[in-house]
Amino acid sequence: MFHPDEATVSRPAPPEEPTGVYLIDPVRSAIGFSDRHAMTAGVAGVRGNFTAFEGLLKLDGVCPARSEAYLSVQTGSVDTGCPERDARVTGPEFLDSATFPLMSFRSTRVLDAGDDRLHLAGYLRIKDVELPVHLDLVFRTPRREACGRGRVGLEGTLTPRRARPGPGGNAAPRPGGPPVGDRMRLTIDISAVRTRPGQSR
């Protein structure tokens, strides 16, 4: 016979903190860019996407400061919606993808900003310059796929740090305007899947 006092109510398990190595899923991810000062390339107000990229996240859910992030983007994969503009953006005056086929980001410090947010400091390497940048990420609720592997989602904007002021408080002038890395903003919407033991790619 059923007794109410013996009844138990199952409570959902607390969400699992994402920990492990996660590979970026390019099919479910997007990396966009904008450059409002692209006049040196003959293009003003450029916006578009990179269609070829890869990367990984080393997440530590217990101590987020031990997490790491790496991203590599093929600069020749630009898509601005206009083939002629794509050619100019990937040309020698702007990204010069023939000489510098890859743009990369590596984190150097990760801070837990609370409310499912992370603040990353790191370096963006574009052309022959490695520029300090910061990246504020918002975590989407982690979930587990039918195959049992965990998936995480993150989104944010990668912003280069401003050049240090020169004499008189103004940034030192640069021939032809600021370099590409100083002007570019990357918008990141990433979905990443946890790797199986022994899997690195």
Side-chain angles (χ1 to χ4, degrees):
M1 182 176 179
F2 175 77
H3 296 283
D5 293 341
E6 297 176 357
T8 59
V9 178
S10 60
R11 294 181 175 83
E16 179 183 350
E17 295 293 341
T19 297
V21 177
Y22 291 74
L23 294 181
I24 292 175
D25 180 355
V27 176
R28 300 187 183 183
S29 302
I31 297 180
F33 72 90
S34 62
D35 185 338
R36 292 179 298 174
H37 307 282
M39 294 305 295
T40 56
V43 187
V46 174
R47 292 180 181 273
N49 297 284
F50 292 103
T51 60
F53 51 86
E54 62 181 0
L56 63 83
L57 310 170
K58 295 182 178 180
L59 301 180
D60 189 322
V62 177
C63 181
R66 291 199 293 255
S67 300
E68 302 173 30
Y70 302 90
L71 177 66
S72 177
V73 178
Q74 295 184 26
T75 56
S77 68
V78 165
D79 180 7
T80 64
C82 173
E84 292 81 7
R85 187 164 55 228
D86 294 349
R88 291 198 296 268
V89 172
T90 58
E93 292 183 274
F94 194 54
L95 290 177
D96 194 4
S97 60
T99 306
F100 305 99
L102 293 179
M103 174 174 60
S104 62
F105 168 78
R106 61 181 178 90
S107 66
T108 56
R109 185 179 60 187
V110 179
L111 299 176
D112 185 354
D115 296 327
D116 295 325
R117 294 174 180 268
L118 289 178
H119 178 84
L120 277 66
Y123 287 94
L124 174 68
R125 184 167 188 82
I126 180 168
K127 300 181 80 169
D128 57 349
V129 176
E130 196 168 54
L131 188 70
V133 295
H134 60 83
L135 175 60
D136 291 309
L137 289 174
V138 177
F139 258 98
R140 294 192 291 272
T141 303
R143 62 184 179 86
R144 189 168 296 277
E145 298 187 319
C147 62
R149 290 192 296 171
R151 181 180 287 271
V152 298
L154 322 94
E155 56 184 312
T157 302
L158 189 153
T159 308
R161 296 174 183 169
R162 296 298 183 184
R164 293 181 179 178
N170 297 317
R174 302 181 182 186
V180 174
D182 273 338
R183 306 181 323 235
M184 183 172 287
R185 301 290 183 271
L186 297 179
T187 55
I188 297 174
D189 188 347
I190 285 176
S191 180
V193 180
R194 185 174 180 177
T195 63
R196 298 184 179 93
Q199 178 186 5
S200 60
R201 293 184 63 84

